Amino acid sequence: MSGNKDAWGSRIGLILAMAGNAVGMSNFLRFPVQAVQNGGGTFIIPYLVSFLVIGIPLLWIEWSMGRFGGALGHHSTPFIMDTMARNRLWKYIGVFGIWTNIAIAAYYCYLESWTVAYMVHSIKGSFLGLDQGEVAAFFDSYISLGTSTLGIPWEPFVFFILVLLLNTYVLSQGLQKGVERVAKIGIPLLILFGLFLAYQGATIDAGENGAIHSSIEGLNFLWTPDYSNMWSPSVWLAAAGQVFFTLSIGMGTVHCYASYVKAKDDIALSAMTSGWMNEFVEIVLGSFILIPISIAFLGMDRVQELIELGSLSLGFKTLPYLFMQWGDVIGILSSFLFFSLLFFAGITSSLAMGTPWIGFLKDEFKWKHSPAAWSFGIIIFVLGLPTIFLYKYGVFDEYDYWAGTVSLVVFALLECILFAWVFGMDKGWKEITRNAEIRVPPIYKYIIKYVTPVLLLIVFLGSVFTPKDNDWEGAISGTWILDDSSIISKLRNTGLKEKLANASDSETIAFVTDQLFYVNASRLLLMVVFIGFAFLVYIAYKKRQSEPINPPH
């Protein structure tokens, strides 16, 4: 019997914490960029379909698995999954639910620290008087550990330490006094700040403060349907991928949070509430800030160029400049609120990432809560250092690709198979509907069993065999050339090897050679960490076998 007695203080606290787990920085940075790149208004159709047939089913699966395992004294995925199947291998598949969170937190806390640094720089007025190029140069200098206006040596490292200490301290306070308290403060403030910025973004007139267009044109650009892309496989794969990003499914955090729900409590309505709260933040608030403001001041062509560089180019390299166009006071306030909003979105997610590891140590090795929380901080510190000091070599992106993208789909597919086909859909359906406060549509029994796993398999295979430039139509009808972003090409380092082969100067050759080394080393490090966690699960399993069986009360 686990000595893990942590619990949620209230249902609203649980829902806000679950919503905080789901609401992350991608709601405001990644979603609008994905929408623009994939057909504007038509993107919302495959996005909502993916939410209904992948997102909601996986939320119900993970909530019910968590509650089921929690009733048996398990608060992390290795032994939650172990209780649902006789095959001993499932507990090692459950390692994904610990490893993924640790690996993501290692770079996510660093990303989170950028928002704190930018909050400070906003208040200090560091962005006043800078043009867009100078703001972009500021970011490049910052992440390269260059000199900052604060005069702090290794400034990114210092802010990373501060953010990591804050995360670890909050986790050490437990669910009620730590995670739940932050969610009750952070999520309402996030929504309040988002509403203010959405109003500011939606009311820009052409010619006002130098705006080229009105914000309405930006919204039209974002949501005007392009039906020619409607049935493009790349659009549907992008939509399904965004659902993973935005709901934090396939990670193990939902299982862990739900494991502290009482056995008699509803999970069907709670899962829907937290899921739709996330959708409101993403679709409504996320749509009215980044793209409309950028297009209003920069024009559509320039925004298209920046989008090709990624969402971070708009968020950190561009928005501080755009906010300052509203005048010193409103500009500083808006910039501060935006990065505060991102911070609250970030910390409510990173706190969730620490809970599976803490639950595992408390359940299996009888650790006290505080030491378990601080061990999380130590691991993230060590694993996060390469993302800071080797950022320019792509280590940050490697962590994000393997842990924050590929792992989510793989684990979600396997847990769906476990729940619907191994544990059994009849038993699984009883878990979902037990004490449910809403009527779960019976069609979902078949969606979970057949539709969701098939779609997850398609998403995974699409990631493995991604064609050049995401041209699925051309690949299917002609020669299939793998894109550098495909899993196969990533493993082969195709893009880097081509860059090395085409390099003509010694400096570029040396840099790409170093990059190849650090990229491969980071993958090896992540693999070693996974094997280490699997070994701990093995030790815990052997320990359980040697102990007398005491049924949970």
Side-chain angles (χ1 to χ4, degrees), residues 278-409:
N278 173 79
E279 294 309 293
F280 166 78
V281 171
E282 180 155 286
I283 295 175
V284 178
L285 300 184
S287 298
F288 278 82
I289 301 175
L290 190 70
I291 298 300
I293 296 174
S294 298
I295 287 178
F297 287 104
L298 297 177
M300 299 181 187
D301 291 340
R302 178 57 179 156
V303 171
Q304 286 280 30
E305 293 174 7
L306 291 171
I307 282 176
E308 293 302 316
L309 300 176
S311 57
L312 293 182
S313 290
L314 280 174
F316 288 91
K317 293 185 176 184
T318 306
L319 270 184
Y321 159 73
L322 300 180
F323 288 138
M324 298 309 153
Q325 306 311 300
W326 290 333
D328 292 358
V329 176
I330 296 298
I332 287 174
L333 176 63
S334 298
S335 183
F336 175 78
L337 292 183
F338 179 72
F339 291 108
S340 298
L341 173 156
L342 290 184
F343 169 72
F344 286 127
I347 194 170
T348 50
S349 296
S350 57
L351 290 174
M353 296 172 199
T355 52
W357 171 252
I358 295 171
F360 175 71
L361 290 182
K362 291 173 68 176
D363 287 351
E364 309 306 328
F365 298 99
K366 307 300 183 285
W367 279 43
K368 297 294 185 182
H369 187 93
S370 184
W374 286 100
S375 73
F376 169 78
I378 292 170
I379 293 172
I380 298 307
F381 172 76
V382 174
L383 202 57
L385 289 179
T387 70
I388 301 171
F389 293 102
L390 301 174
Y391 180 88
K392 67 178 181 179
Y393 293 108
V395 172
F396 182 103
D397 295 330
E398 283 300 306
Y399 278 39
D400 182 46
Y401 182 79
W402 296 109
T405 306
V406 175
S407 174
L408 304 187
V409 180

Side-chain angles (χ1 to χ4, degrees), residues 1-2 65-75 79-80 82-84 259 263 363 423 544 550-553:
M1 173 63 178
S2 168
M65 286 177 68
R67 185 181 62 179
F68 177 83
L72 298 172
H74 308 305
H75 303 88
F79 289 98
I80 289 176
D82 187 58
T83 60
M84 302 181 74
S259 69
D363 287 351
F423 183 67
R544 281 170 172 263
N550 295 314
H553 300 288

Side-chain angles (χ1 to χ4, degrees), residues 4-23:
N4 192 341
K5 301 296 184 182
D6 225 339
W8 297 104
S10 64
R11 183 171 183 178
I12 186 63
L14 165 64
I15 291 174
L16 287 174
M18 280 287 196
N21 171 43
V23 174

Side-chain angles (χ1 to χ4, degrees), residues 28 187-203 280-281 284-286 288-289 293 326 337-338 341:
F28 301 94
I187 296 302
L189 284 178
L190 181 154
I191 293 174
L192 182 64
F193 294 170
L195 288 171
F196 171 81
L197 292 168
Y199 173 78
Q200 288 288 106
T203 55
F280 166 78
V281 171
V284 178
L285 300 184
F288 278 82
I289 301 175
I293 296 174
W326 290 333
L337 292 183
F338 179 72
L341 173 156

